[in-house]
Amino acid sequence: MKKNSTKIIAFILIAIFICACNAVKRVPDGKKLLTKNNILVNGKSTNDENASNQMYQKPNGKLLGFKLRLNLYNLANLNPDSTYQAKFKNHPGLYERQAKILSAKQVDRLGQSFLYKGIHEFLKSTGEPPVIIDTTKTKKTLLRLKFYYFNNGFFNVKTDYTIDSIAPKKARINYNILTGPGYTLDSIRTTILTPALDSLYKTNPEPSVLKSGNQYKTSDFEEEKNRITTYFRNHGAYFFQPTYITFDIDTIGKKSKADINLKIGNNSIQERDSSRTEPFKLYKISDVNIYTDYSAANSKSQIKDSTTYNNFNLYSYKGLKYKPRAITDAVFITKGSVFSDTRTTLSSRYLNNLKIFNYPSIQYEVDKRDSTAQSLIANVYLTPRKKYSFGASLDVTHSNIQDFGIGASVSETIRNVFNRAETLEISARVNVGSSKDMANPNNNFFNVSEYGIDTKLNFPRILMPFGTEKIIPKRMIPSTSIAAGFSKQRNIGLDKENFTGGLAYNWSPKRHNTVKFEVLNAQFVRNLNPNNYFNVYTSSYDELNGIANVYNTDPSNVDANGNLIISEGTTNFTNQVLTDQTALTPADEQYKDVKSIEERRVRLTENDFILASSYTFTKTTKKDLADNIFYQFKAKIESAGTLLSAISNVANLPQNINGNYEIFNLEYSEYIKTEFDYIKHWDFGKEKVLAVRSFFGIAIPFGNSDYIPFSRSYYSGGSNDNRAWQPYSLGPGSTDALDDFNEANMKIALSAEFRFKVFGDVKGAVFADAGNIWNVLDNVIDEKAKFDSVNDLAEIALGTGFGLRYDLSFFVVRLDLGFKTYNPAHEAGDRWFKEYNFGHSVLNFGINYPF
């Protein structure tokens, strides 16, 4: 802690030194450092972000109120080479003396070292030169501001600027805007020369963006152009473009009002040296040609194989390798249909989703066979990916189970397995590592291992014994996946074998909505070394051993040091307590503690069989990776064991001594689980983003189960959760994380993070994470771990902190430092800021943003 304190103090002193630097050090005499742009609209200051974006010059950036990058730049020596040479000129003989010790070449190279030159280059590149007021750029900004307000309906806007000196070599610019009255739209009429387009315009069910009474905005006119163009091009107007739409705006004789005439001319056709116009035509598709193995190399070769299926013409340069329906199901452009951009886009999306082609291309040409010239031929060009693709990766890992680990994985993807665009993915992984687990007392460094294999077969359709087109049409891009996997751990925890398998359907009801229906999700977890429990869960052992030190009367339960022997002694002592063979009685707190420890041991060492079904719905408005104005909502409901119980009841199968049904001599899990996850982002401009996340999940055991399997329970803490706690170290409830891996069956999580730019690709964030886990309606008896009423919401923990992120474009490296701000494990009234210090802070490393 002393070393950390020294580093923190040093960091603060350096920061104070940097911020105390002279901000105008690099400002020439007679010039001014720009400190602020002040936009005054009709005499009042405005914070309009769009208006601020019109500036050609903006003040130097700030971090937490300080011009950090400017001060870093000012610390740099702009001419380190000259300074280095001047040192020898000012000290005759110094160069020769150093050359005798090092050599002349080394002395010259010393001037290029980081100490003399590199550090200054770093400060210059990381820093930011002072923004000096340039009146030429100020006048350009004024012109842009005038256009900005003009485009928002202020046609009589007047602008000027003043420069206020606020300190030596410092000044701010005042941009004075007199808007005058804002113009509103009055009458709106249309002049459309092509009768077919005029009819389409009148039948468009989507209302116009331009409405009488609205204030004039140029952006509304652009949006109206796009609205009309989209509708026309989805109803056959193949050659129509937004440039054919113009607006006549008449303000003559009007007081702050404008009459609008929307004009759409005829199609302009260029013919060699002349041009002509004719009414637009609405086109239909006369043929759909699909080239299944197109490439630039074979584009001029002869077609060797062809077939026609459901009015689709399929061609191949080498030989048709796909069953026709596999391709035609992905194409929404059909013979006889009206040309539509939407159908084109949907076809491209579906073909991409097949994952067997590279960048499908869809092109149209006018069908010369049609004398009316109102037909199009659609040509779909598909370039197949390689049938087989191999991948490999190597990772170095660290976790709360392994101190050090090396993992390797290999994968093979086979495309078009059954000639219907299916994909088969096979992957294998192996991990070897080092652990201080007491179950491995040998001196081998690599004493733990894990290996596994997974397979997944994907079908680009719904696999059902009956047709699903009416329920889930192909425009929803349906798919079916069948998966199976096996993994085995050695010397990790209880040593497990894990078998998984599943059948799932996926589809997209709308552009940004997805649905996943897992018909079957089976998991069998077999613990190979349950006797190792107390070596792994040392907190439980320490608590049980402490009770035994007082109440154990059987010397065979303990070793020479008086500690319980694992596992004979722990098992015997527990049985003796619970069968009233010790001084403890059910009314004693220690008796309850032993019972709770045993319940948890049984739950975590029992083999689990889970047969579940689930339905997941996800909706997002996120357009791409750069979108910072979106929300995402995810809801999931899962049911396990219900089908097995129904079969058992109908078949009148026998129950075991616990009154539960078994499969493969194992009590299967039965529960209902539901989750809700909501994420929202707000963009405040200048790379400032506020992101929030809320999560609620609960899993309730019933019927054949009294608890939730460990693999389906919840935990709190970690780099993507409450970052002031390590994974599994928060909760449940107000317990002080008594166990090594604390889990429960209900979780609440709330997080907020404000992100901002520091410099370059380095981003910063301040965050607050709240939440906890609880036990509810299960067999846990510890009152502190249970959620009984809304009063238990007072046990929601709060962590706050800050972080740095480095954006590598394809992913983000993240460091977050979290502080325990409100810890419900302490007594009420003593929970705030009890551990708010660096000694109890948690440093998290993560890849990409937490939400």
Side-chain angles (χ1 to χ4, degrees), residues 621-631 679-692 753 755-756 763 807 849 851:
T621 59
K622 189 169 187 176
K623 299 174 183 177
D624 51 50
L625 291 174
D627 188 2
N628 282 318
I629 307 175
F630 73 94
Y631 74 85
I679 296 172
K680 172 72 175 175
H681 284 209
W682 290 271
D683 192 336
F684 296 102
K686 299 180 181 179
E687 299 192 55
K688 295 182 177 70
V689 176
L690 175 63
V692 299
E753 182 172 282
R755 302 164 185 166
F756 52 88
K763 312 293 172 63
D807 192 345
Y849 292 107
F851 51 87

Side-chain angles (χ1 to χ4, degrees), residues 724-779:
W725 279 265
Q726 295 283 3
Y728 293 98
S729 66
L730 173 59
S734 60
T735 63
D736 193 11
L738 299 175
D739 302 309
D740 299 271
F741 300 94
N742 297 276
E743 44 80 38
N745 64 327
M746 188 178 89
K747 178 176 180 176
I748 295 176
L750 301 164
S751 294
E753 182 172 282
F754 183 70
R755 302 164 185 166
F756 52 88
K757 181 178 180 179
V758 178
F759 56 83
D761 292 325
V762 178
K763 312 293 172 63
V766 291
F767 60 82
D769 301 321
N772 207 336
I773 55 174
W774 293 267
N775 289 95
V776 58
L777 300 175
D778 62 4
N779 64 347

Side-chain angles (χ1 to χ4, degrees), residues 658-689:
N658 297 322
N660 293 329
Y661 295 110
E662 293 183 346
I663 183 171
F664 311 126
N665 295 320
L666 178 66
E667 292 184 5
Y668 56 83
S669 298
E670 188 170 10
Y671 60 85
I672 186 78
K673 182 178 184 180
T674 186
E675 297 177 349
F676 301 95
D677 196 355
Y678 180 77
I679 296 172
K680 172 72 175 175
H681 284 209
W682 290 271
D683 192 336
F684 296 102
K686 299 180 181 179
E687 299 192 55
K688 295 182 177 70
V689 176

Side-chain angles (χ1 to χ4, degrees), residues 514-518 521 612-619 633-639 671-678 695-699 711-712 714:
T514 59
V515 171
K516 182 178 183 179
F517 176 37
E518 286 188 291
N521 183 328
S613 299
S614 66
Y615 179 89
T616 305
F617 173 79
T618 304
K619 178 180 176 63
F633 173 74
K634 182 178 180 180
K636 178 179 180 180
I637 184 168
E638 177 180 323
S639 175
Y671 60 85
I672 186 78
K673 182 178 184 180
T674 186
E675 297 177 349
F676 301 95
D677 196 355
Y678 180 77
F695 176 88
F696 174 77
I698 186 171
S711 62
R712 302 299 172 96
Y714 297 108

Side-chain angles (χ1 to χ4, degrees), residues 185 206-211 214 219-221 223-224 227:
L185 307 185
E206 187 178 350
S208 172
V209 178
L210 304 178
K211 295 181 180 178
N214 286 359
S219 59
D220 287 347
F221 286 81
E223 189 175 344
E224 177 68 0
R227 182 189 75 91

Side-chain angles (χ1 to χ4, degrees), residues 517-537:
F517 176 37
E518 286 188 291
V519 181
L520 293 175
N521 183 328
Q523 181 181 24
F524 173 57
V525 180
R526 180 186 173 201
N527 294 300
L528 304 177
N529 190 12
N531 291 333
N532 196 38
Y533 177 81
F534 284 111
N535 285 325
V536 178
Y537 297 87

Side-chain angles (χ1 to χ4, degrees), residues 160-175:
D160 67 2
Y161 72 90
T162 59
I163 300 176
D164 292 345
S165 180
I166 58 174
K169 294 189 176 183
K170 292 183 179 181
R172 69 183 176 201
I173 302 177
N174 298 316
Y175 293 94

Side-chain angles (χ1 to χ4, degrees), residues 294 348 351-352 356-362 381-385:
Y294 175 83
S348 294
L351 289 165
N352 266 321
I356 62 173
F357 299 111
N358 287 320
Y359 312 113
S361 174
I362 301 176
Y381 298 98
L382 305 177
T383 303
R385 296 185 183 184

